[in-house]
Amino acid sequence: MPDSQLVDPFGRRIIYLRLSVTDRCDFRCTYCMSEDMVFAPRAQILTLEELYAVADAFISLGVKRIRVTGGEPLVRKGLTGLLERLGARKELEDLAITTNGSQLPSLAPALHAAGVKRLNISLDSLKRDRFAELTRRDRLDQVLEGIEAARSAGFKRIKLNSVVQKGRNDDEILDLVDFAIERGLDISFIEEMPLGSVSSHQRQITFCSSDEVRERIEARHTLVRSSHATGGPSRYWQVAGSETQIGFISPHSNNFCGSCNRVRVTAEGKLVLCLGHEGALDLKSLMRRHPGDSERLRNALVNALQLKPEKHHFRTDEQVQVVRFMSMTGG
């Protein structure tokens, strides 16, 4: 397959698309959205056919990896049909989903059959009360059941995602690692990103760096630098004596912009070139003005890449740098 035709001004080739299929979610995680979120009217959300048209345009331009995100992608009706169409694309090396796990007890087998290769499942706490506090939903048992359903469905790589916050869940770092090791799962620890205004905590106080997380893990486990890569921003370490890989996503302490190979499309059809910038291109308006014009869509994507910034500038102070919540952008 030829190299990606999507090249930004800094020579980075875009081979990875994160495609949001909905802004809705059945959880209300405190770092991701407010309790009283106002979701986009359904008419403003891309149809399944439009989502496939976007994915098709990116694939034709050399994108090899697609991660389906939300909100919570598995609450989108008809999603399995879209996944089957994407799973049938031989050009794709990887089709993955980021999910909170709540729908996996019923959907895991269908996702595997559709061609989804990898799952990322959010899990910030193993304590029921704390899980309910962080997600504003008392559904830890449902998520744990979903993890087991995914394992039983035959997924070869399942990764947990944990956003670590000092004083809120950082005392569970080792418990989460042990949980992953016992089940042959991978896990990534994520520094909270300053997206959207939150009232549940002060980010400059709860910030916990990846270096600190790794130090705590190394107090119990031997970590060996790994060559494992999924095309995303995680830097991986192998837990000696186990199958578990531990990733660290460090937008603050270890900026990963230099190797950025991804863009995002929101559920409303906005092409987001950088998570840390507000600018976006309205693909939905273009597609609805010119339905079926795939060449025009591809040209718009190629031209848009010339506006991709070199890096983001996240800070840990209280100033909101990007107004939109993560749930509006897509994982």
Side-chain angles (χ1 to χ4, degrees), residues 148-185:
E148 292 308 310
R151 294 177 67 203
S152 298
F155 286 97
K156 293 183 179 179
R157 301 308 305 185
I158 300 172
K159 182 164 72 71
L160 306 178
N161 281 344
S162 297
V163 176
V164 180
Q165 297 174 314
K166 192 169 294 184
R168 305 193 83 202
N169 69 338
D170 62 314
D171 60 328
E172 291 191 70
I173 293 170
L174 292 175
D175 291 339
L176 287 164
V177 169
D178 289 344
F179 179 88
I181 292 173
E182 290 166 5
R183 290 158 180 80
L185 310 176

Side-chain angles (χ1 to χ4, degrees), residues 70-83:
E72 169 48 48
L74 300 187
V75 303
R76 176 71 190 258
K77 292 182 179 179
L79 178 63
T80 303
L82 173 64
L83 295 174

Side-chain angles (χ1 to χ4, degrees), residues 25-27 72 74-75 99-108 121-123 125-128 131-132 135-151 160 179:
C25 188
D26 48 350
F27 289 4
E72 169 48 48
L74 300 187
V75 303
T99 174
N100 63 27
S102 67
Q103 307 299 313
L104 287 176
S106 60
L107 291 180
I121 305 172
S122 298
L123 183 65
S125 177
L126 295 167
K127 298 179 179 179
R128 181 174 176 178
F131 181 94
T135 65
R136 301 190 180 103
R137 298 293 186 269
D138 184 10
R139 298 186 187 172
L140 175 60
D141 290 344
Q142 189 173 336
V143 172
L144 297 180
E145 182 184 351
I147 292 171
E148 292 308 310
R151 294 177 67 203
L160 306 178
F179 179 88

Side-chain angles (χ1 to χ4, degrees), residues 19-241:
L19 181 65
S20 175
V21 297
T22 181
D23 64 339
R24 288 166 168 75
C25 188
D26 48 350
F27 289 4
R28 296 291 184 273
C29 296
T30 55
Y31 53 79
C32 186
M33 61 174 67
S34 65
E35 173 64 54
D36 55 349
M37 282 292 292
V38 177
F39 298 110
R42 295 190 185 278
Q44 293 184 21
I45 300 298
L46 293 182
T47 67
L48 293 172
E49 194 61 38
E50 287 169 336
L51 286 165
Y52 182 77
V54 169
D56 177 67
F58 273 102
I59 293 170
S60 70
L61 291 169
V63 161
K64 301 176 183 178
R65 298 173 177 269
I66 293 181
R67 174 171 295 282
V68 175
T69 69
E72 169 48 48
L74 300 187
V75 303
R76 176 71 190 258
K77 292 182 179 179
L79 178 63
T80 303
L82 173 64
L83 295 174
E84 289 173 347
R85 295 181 72 183
L86 294 176
R89 295 297 296 264
K90 302 301 183 183
E91 307 97 317
L92 280 182
E93 295 177 356
D94 188 48
L95 177 62
I97 291 182
T98 293
T99 174
N100 63 27
S102 67
Q103 307 299 313
L104 287 176
S106 60
L107 291 180
L111 298 178
H112 188 265
V116 177
K117 295 181 179 179
R118 293 186 300 113
L119 294 177
N120 281 9
I121 305 172
S122 298
L123 183 65
D124 298 324
S125 177
L126 295 167
K127 298 179 179 179
R128 181 174 176 178
D129 291 347
R130 181 177 289 172
F131 181 94
E133 179 183 354
L134 292 172
T135 65
R136 301 190 180 103
R137 298 293 186 269
D138 184 10
R139 298 186 187 172
L140 175 60
D141 290 344
Q142 189 173 336
V143 172
L144 297 180
E145 182 184 351
I147 292 171
E148 292 308 310
R151 294 177 67 203
S152 298
F155 286 97
K156 293 183 179 179
R157 301 308 305 185
I158 300 172
K159 182 164 72 71
L160 306 178
N161 281 344
S162 297
V163 176
V164 180
Q165 297 174 314
K166 192 169 294 184
R168 305 193 83 202
N169 69 338
D170 62 314
D171 60 328
E172 291 191 70
I173 293 170
L174 292 175
D175 291 339
L176 287 164
V177 169
D178 289 344
F179 179 88
I181 292 173
E182 290 166 5
R183 290 158 180 80
L185 310 176
D186 296 330
I187 184 169
S188 280
F189 292 100
I190 305 170
E191 295 176 349
E192 183 183 1
M193 299 182 189
L195 304 177
S197 180
V198 298
S199 58
S200 61
H201 59 284
Q202 295 179 296
R203 285 171 169 148
Q204 80 272 29
I205 295 175
T206 61
F207 174 70
C208 190
S209 74
S210 294
D211 286 344
E212 184 174 348
V213 175
R214 193 175 76 245
E215 287 174 5
R216 296 197 198 183
I217 296 171
E218 288 180 323
R220 178 179 296 178
H221 300 284
T222 299
L223 300 183
V224 180
R225 194 62 185 262
S226 172
S227 60
H228 176 66
T230 61
S234 284
R235 292 173 170 85
Y236 284 96
W237 299 73
Q238 179 82 38
V239 179

Side-chain angles (χ1 to χ4, degrees), residues 193 233-235 249-252 254-260 262 312:
M193 299 182 189
S234 284
R235 292 173 170 85
I249 300 178
S250 317
H252 294 285
N254 195 345
N255 186 297
F256 43 72
C257 297
S259 59
C260 183
R262 70 204 70 91
H312 64 246

